[in-house]
Amino acid sequence: MRLPSLFLAASIAALAAASASAQTNADTRRQDLLRQRAAIDAELQRLDAPAPTPAPESQPSRASVAATSPDDIIVTGRALTLTTKVAGQTDTTITNAAFRNTPATTIADIVKLSPGVTVIGGNGPRDVGVSIRGSNARNSFGARNIQVFEDDFPVTQPDGLARFDLTDPHAYGAVDVVRGPSSARYGNYAVEGAINFRTRRGRDLQGVEAGIDGGSYGYLNAYATLGHAGPGYEYAVFGSFARADGATGHTGYQTGTINALATFALSDRDRVTGKVIYNEGEFRLSTRLSFNQYLANPYQQGCDQAASAAAGCGTISVLANGINGTRIAQTAAEGDLARNDRRTIIGARYEHDFSAGTTWRTQATFDSRVVFQPTSATPFRGTLNSYNLSSDVTAHSQILGMDALSFIGIFYNYLDGQNYSFNKTPAGRNGIGATTQTVFGGVRNMGVRAREELALTRDLQLILGIGYEHSKIDMRQTNYTYPVGANPTLNNIPAIRDFDNVAPEASLVWQALPALRLHTRVGTAYGIPQSGQLFVTTAGVPGNNIDLKTQTSTGVDVGAELTLGDTLKAEVTGYYEWFRNEQVSQSAGVNLLSYTTNVPRSIHRGVEVGVNWKPLPALLPGGYVQATYSYNDQRYTRYVERLTSGAVSAAFDRADNRIPGVIPTFANGRLGYDQPHGAFAGLGGFAEVTYRSRYFIDNANLLRIPGYTLINLNLHYDPPAATGWWSRLSFYASVQNLADKTYVGSASIISDSLSATGAQNPASVLMGTTGSVYAGQPRTVYLGLKGRF
């Protein structure tokens, strides 16, 4: 009970100080606040300013210690942000300098520059799977087990799903990647951390920036950002339209985005911030292939008609009448498989300074996801509206003579889901047949979180945090069946579950030397089941899966950051995490349904390295080496899996098997040069190498997806701001996958299977399992031109 009492005492003391301060001379207070606001603005400009040289940087972790150097300014009268300026935890910021002169067609082009992050293709164009320390490895679309924000507004809905095709990477000025178990700070589903995308600031624009990118396979992206800042206000509005035909058959798309952020000072102590994101897209989808089909026809060419399809084409099986009876094989082109999604996010944040050191913040976000996804033989249509509310107080004070930052807040979020599934008919995208399933209901989370950042000495900081959350799933699934020659039947399955979770964390940060910072952390995380996992019991029959538990983890991080002026910035972090009750699919036995169960024990461990180095600052001042390296060793330590085939069923011990989908090694490196001064200032280029090791996609560790090494080249001219019209223009040329390597861009997890004798089928059989593989992008050339006005 001491920790919550400490937070409460600190908050009460801060509020009492605020009340006393309110009785002092108003003019003196106003002058103090104006001086502080000027200092705040100066510091924010310093933080948001582009790097002094154009070399791309993934800045090392900022597990910062209060007042450790003249550059470290404790900004008073400001709320503790969720994702920026993180103390005591491994995190990396990727600045706009790293990707502003690149195609940046997807979010993967940005986040792959952070240690600890791996990327794969998602379901269709622009969708990518982003994994922090192996999170989200089992998911073939979107993001789970990490929390996603934009400008500190939530993008992850209360059911734990976020998507990375929501907006255009050209909108961003920086991206923050926070790594490790983080439920004390971010709540439910923050199993391996969070990502915060920061849009460009109006103060950096002071006008309009517009550009156009074009490339192979019909790629075109036209975009523009309008921004400005003045006394008491700042705004930026981004818009873009992108389209492409796709290298793989039936994968063209077009999508439009609007993204806006504005902040207004209502008074010298009150600020309001508004956020709007709108995205609508139409994406044609190919089918996921078996590994054998991928080897025969990776880009699914000649797949227009099932009757005359080339070898290796994938197909789906649809009901001829959309209800029951005879089925017909169709290719993705014949069925016109697609995603038509619309996303609207509207948020508002109000901040009030009780005093120079105490800020109250309240934030509300409405998030609407409307989807129509005829992606398979059972199209899906749904409306998922969510509401997210939070309120907190941040106080800068002293405790026992030590500088302290205290935070306490409450939060509530709710998802209202109305989802329908149908049989598909042969009539293309709009060939919707009989209803097969409906799911109605909601998911809500509410709780409290608190945090204390205490400067034990000038060079040593202690961070303590804790979060409590109550979650409730209240959903109802109705299944419809249509027997031939009989009346339709209905089966209603209620799933009502309550979960209570507590997540503490603690870390120490030590500025051992002016150039060396060390940190160690113990963090915890939890993720409740998804509603769809609750509708089949452990007996393999329809019903509420009441035995399914919350997955939890406890992890230890030890890290170091080295900074030698502008010459070398490096970070290394080792982590070891103990997982309990990870959720996986399991067979119940012969002639029964598969269900979701908990893996009792598993471990996640690894190493993350990031380096930004200027090896010859005197001879080649614009030369740089930038590299990231991630190693993930993740294994089951206690798990027995049951497989079923026909009348045969058998159990297999998976202890010490690697967890499928987790990429053991992922590395990215750039060797480049940017002319820092003179007549050719801003002219530069780089060669980039991306390496991904092979990885398993089944629990038995029989089928392994090959690794790859890709090479990209980039040439760009981005002159510094100066007089003359020429300095307002920039351009780039880029070749991705220079060697035109054919590789697996994405592979979904597949189930192991049994032979008629009850033995596990070998890899040669698993290679024929469909619904898994997408090919990666072949060699692609991009050109871009941008102007500033």
Side-chain angles (χ1 to χ4, degrees):
M1 296 298 294
R2 291 183 178 179
L3 186 59
S5 299
L6 178 61
F7 289 120
L8 184 59
S11 299
I12 292 173
L15 291 173
S19 177
S21 176
Q23 301 176 15
T24 62
N25 184 275
D27 291 338
T28 301
R29 182 181 61 190
R30 180 178 297 273
Q31 292 301 318
D32 289 342
L33 287 172
L34 288 175
R35 282 194 295 271
Q36 287 173 340
R37 184 57 46 79
I40 290 169
D41 289 340
E43 172 65 0
L44 289 175
Q45 288 179 355
R46 183 183 72 82
L47 292 173
D48 293 335
T53 66
E57 289 189 347
S58 295
Q59 297 175 358
S61 307
R62 301 182 311 271
S64 56
V65 178
T68 58
S69 74
D71 291 334
D72 292 330
I73 299 175
I74 295 180
V75 180
T76 59
R78 288 278 168 163
L80 181 66
T81 66
L82 285 173
T83 47
T84 54
K85 288 299 181 185
V86 174
Q89 188 165 357
T90 304
D91 75 307
T92 297
T93 291
I94 306 159
T95 65
N96 179 263
F99 55 86
R100 68 181 176 222
N101 295 311
T102 70
T105 58
T106 70
I107 295 304
D109 296 325
I110 303 177
V111 296
K112 73 178 183 181
L113 304 177
S114 170
V117 174
T118 57
V119 295
I120 62 172
N123 266 9
R126 270 213 347 182
D127 186 30
V128 295
V130 176
S131 175
I132 301 177
R133 295 185 178 178
S135 66
N136 202 43
R138 289 181 172 274
N139 201 47
S140 60
F141 68 97
R144 290 196 181 275
N145 294 326
I146 56 177
Q147 284 285 346
V148 182
F149 300 86
E150 186 163 309
D151 295 319
D152 280 335
F153 288 91
V155 173
T156 298
Q157 290 196 307
D159 65 345
L161 179 65
R163 296 200 72 105
F164 287 111
D165 54 359
L166 174 62
T167 192
D168 190 320
H170 292 80
Y172 298 131
V175 178
D176 308 298
V177 180
V178 183
R179 307 195 291 281
S182 304
S183 288
R185 192 177 183 95
Y186 307 114
N188 201 2
Y189 300 112
V191 176
E192 284 295 3
I195 299 178
N196 183 44
F197 296 94
R198 285 189 273 156
T199 54
R200 299 185 63 189
R201 304 296 298 271
R203 72 188 63 182
D204 298 326
L205 292 161
Q206 297 292 11
V208 177
E209 183 174 288
I212 185 167
D213 295 347
S216 307
Y217 306 106
Y219 179 77
L220 179 70
N221 188 352
Y223 61 93
T225 309
L226 168 66
H228 200 269
Y233 74 92
E234 182 176 26
Y235 71 89
V237 180
F238 172 86
S240 75
F241 175 81
R243 54 97 52 212
D245 297 326
T248 296
H250 200 70
T251 56
Y253 71 93
Q254 55 184 11
T255 180
T257 300
I258 297 174
N259 199 324
L261 180 73
T263 299
F264 301 93
L266 304 178
S267 71
D268 57 359
R269 294 192 297 175
D270 300 274
R271 298 166 299 281
V272 63
T273 298
K275 177 71 180 177
V276 174
I277 306 174
Y278 179 80
N279 173 259
E280 185 167 356
E282 177 182 298
F283 305 87
R284 297 192 298 274
L285 300 185
S286 60
T287 56
R288 286 184 176 268
L289 305 176
S290 70
F291 192 70
N292 282 334
Q293 288 173 321
Y294 159 79
L295 293 176
N297 191 353
Y299 299 110
Q300 302 193 43
Q301 302 300 304
C303 300
D304 291 339
Q305 301 290 328
S308 58
C313 291
T315 60
I316 61 172
S317 179
V318 302
L319 289 164
N321 62 7
I323 303 173
N324 54 24
T326 305
R327 289 186 174 271
I328 298 173
Q330 285 192 320
T331 65
E334 283 179 302
D336 197 12
L337 304 187
R339 281 178 39 226
N340 300 102
D341 295 353
R342 184 172 71 250
R343 188 79 175 269
T344 306
I345 297 177
I346 301 174
R349 179 165 57 235
Y350 169 70
E351 293 179 273
H352 172 73
D353 298 333
F354 286 114
S355 68
T358 304
T359 297
W360 169 46
R361 172 181 56 189
T362 296
Q363 180 171 289
T365 307
F366 170 71
D367 184 346
S368 175
R369 183 159 55 99
V370 180
V371 300
F372 173 46
Q373 298 178 349
T375 61
S376 67
T378 52
F380 171 81
R381 186 187 293 273
T383 300
L384 301 101
N385 294 331
S386 63
Y387 311 85
N388 196 304
L389 302 171
S390 64
S391 187
D392 52 65
V393 174
T394 301
H396 298 265
S397 62
Q398 284 201 332
I399 297 178
L400 301 177
M402 295 177 288
D403 290 333
L405 185 151
S406 304
F407 170 90
I408 188 165
I410 58 175
F411 61 91
Y412 171 85
N413 54 70
Y414 175 71
L415 172 73
D416 179 16
Q418 303 178 44
N419 306 318
Y420 305 81
S421 296
F422 308 87
N423 284 322
K424 186 170 176 51
T425 75
R429 181 178 308 187
N430 294 314
I432 302 300
T435 302
T436 61
Q437 186 183 96
T438 62
V439 180
F440 298 145
V443 180
R444 57 171 51 88
N445 306 283
M446 63 188 76
V448 59
R449 55 176 67 103
R451 186 176 179 87
E452 193 74 50
E453 300 180 7
L454 191 64
L456 302 178
T457 69
R458 179 178 176 84
D459 298 324
L460 184 64
Q461 188 182 29
L462 171 67
I463 297 99
L464 301 172
I466 192 168
Y468 162 76
E469 186 164 358
H470 174 76
S471 301
K472 185 180 184 66
I473 297 176
D474 187 354
M475 307 287 281
R476 180 178 296 272
Q477 182 187 86
T478 302
N479 295 309
Y480 301 78
T481 57
Y482 306 92
V484 176
N487 292 326
T489 61
L490 300 172
N491 183 20
N492 293 304
I493 305 172
I496 304 174
R497 295 287 305 275
D498 289 270
F499 304 88
D500 291 278
N501 290 289
V502 177
E505 68 172 351
S507 59
L508 281 171
V509 185
W510 179 35
Q511 193 74 30
L513 299 168
L516 179 64
R517 180 172 294 165
L518 307 174
H519 78 274
T520 184
R521 176 179 183 268
V522 178
T524 57
Y526 54 85
I528 68 171
Q530 302 160 33
S531 60
Q533 298 171 327
L534 300 177
F535 296 122
V536 180
T537 72
T538 56
V541 297
N544 193 340
N545 189 2
I546 60 175
D547 294 328
L548 191 59
K549 303 179 181 66
T550 298
Q551 63 178 355
T552 62
S553 67
T554 301
V556 175
D557 278 30
V558 177
E561 299 94 41
L562 178 67
T563 304
L564 299 177
D566 292 331
T567 302
L568 177 65
K569 295 182 180 180
E571 62 166 306
V572 59
T573 300
Y575 68 89
Y576 203 110
E577 299 169 357
W578 295 265
F579 272 68
R580 303 291 182 267
N581 297 317
E582 284 194 75
Q583 294 144 1
V584 300
S585 295
Q586 171 80 68
S587 171
V590 178
N591 298 323
L592 295 172
L593 300 173
S594 63
Y595 66 96
T596 301
T597 188
N598 296 114
V599 173
R601 299 286 187 270
S602 53
I603 57 170
H604 298 191
R605 55 197 173 190
V607 177
E608 303 160 350
V609 179
V611 175
N612 286 278
W613 180 34
K614 298 179 181 178
L616 300 170
L619 183 62
L620 294 173
Y624 62 88
V625 176
Q626 183 267 326
T628 62
Y629 169 83
S630 304
Y631 174 71
N632 292 294
D633 180 16
Q634 303 191 5
R635 300 173 183 269
Y636 300 124
T637 55
R638 190 190 306 169
Y639 175 39
V640 176
E641 181 183 21
R642 177 167 292 278
L643 301 178
T644 302
S645 176
V648 179
S649 182
F652 298 89
D653 188 356
R654 304 303 192 197
D656 203 40
N657 281 17
R658 290 186 179 270
I659 297 174
V662 177
I663 299 172
T665 303
F666 192 90
N668 190 84
R670 288 181 180 178
L671 175 63
Y673 184 85
D674 283 291
Q675 180 63 27
H677 48 70
F680 296 101
L683 181 63
F686 60 81
E688 179 179 54
V689 177
T690 301
Y691 169 76
R692 187 188 73 188
S693 65
R694 57 184 183 169
Y695 63 99
F696 292 108
I697 59 170
D698 69 302
N699 282 329
N701 289 180
L702 299 175
L703 183 58
R704 199 184 319 226
I705 295 300
Y708 63 67
T709 300
L710 303 180
I711 300 174
N712 304 326
L713 296 180
N714 177 282
L715 176 67
H716 57 264
Y717 178 63
D718 191 8
T723 59
W725 65 271
W726 184 251
S727 66
R728 297 178 178 272
L729 299 177
S730 62
F731 75 88
Y732 77 85
S734 178
V735 182
Q736 307 282 306
N737 190 3
L738 179 67
D740 199 20
K741 183 178 182 62
T742 301
Y743 65 98
V744 174
S746 174
S748 300
I749 306 303
I750 64 172
S751 298
D752 291 288
S753 59
L754 296 180
S755 67
T757 62
Q760 286 190 112
N761 283 318
S764 58
V765 174
L766 298 183
M767 290 173 66
T769 303
T770 59
S772 178
V773 177
Y774 276 144
Q777 185 75 3
R779 180 168 54 225
T780 310
V781 178
Y782 297 97
L783 298 173
L785 177 66
K786 185 166 48 182
R788 298 178 288 269
F789 310 98

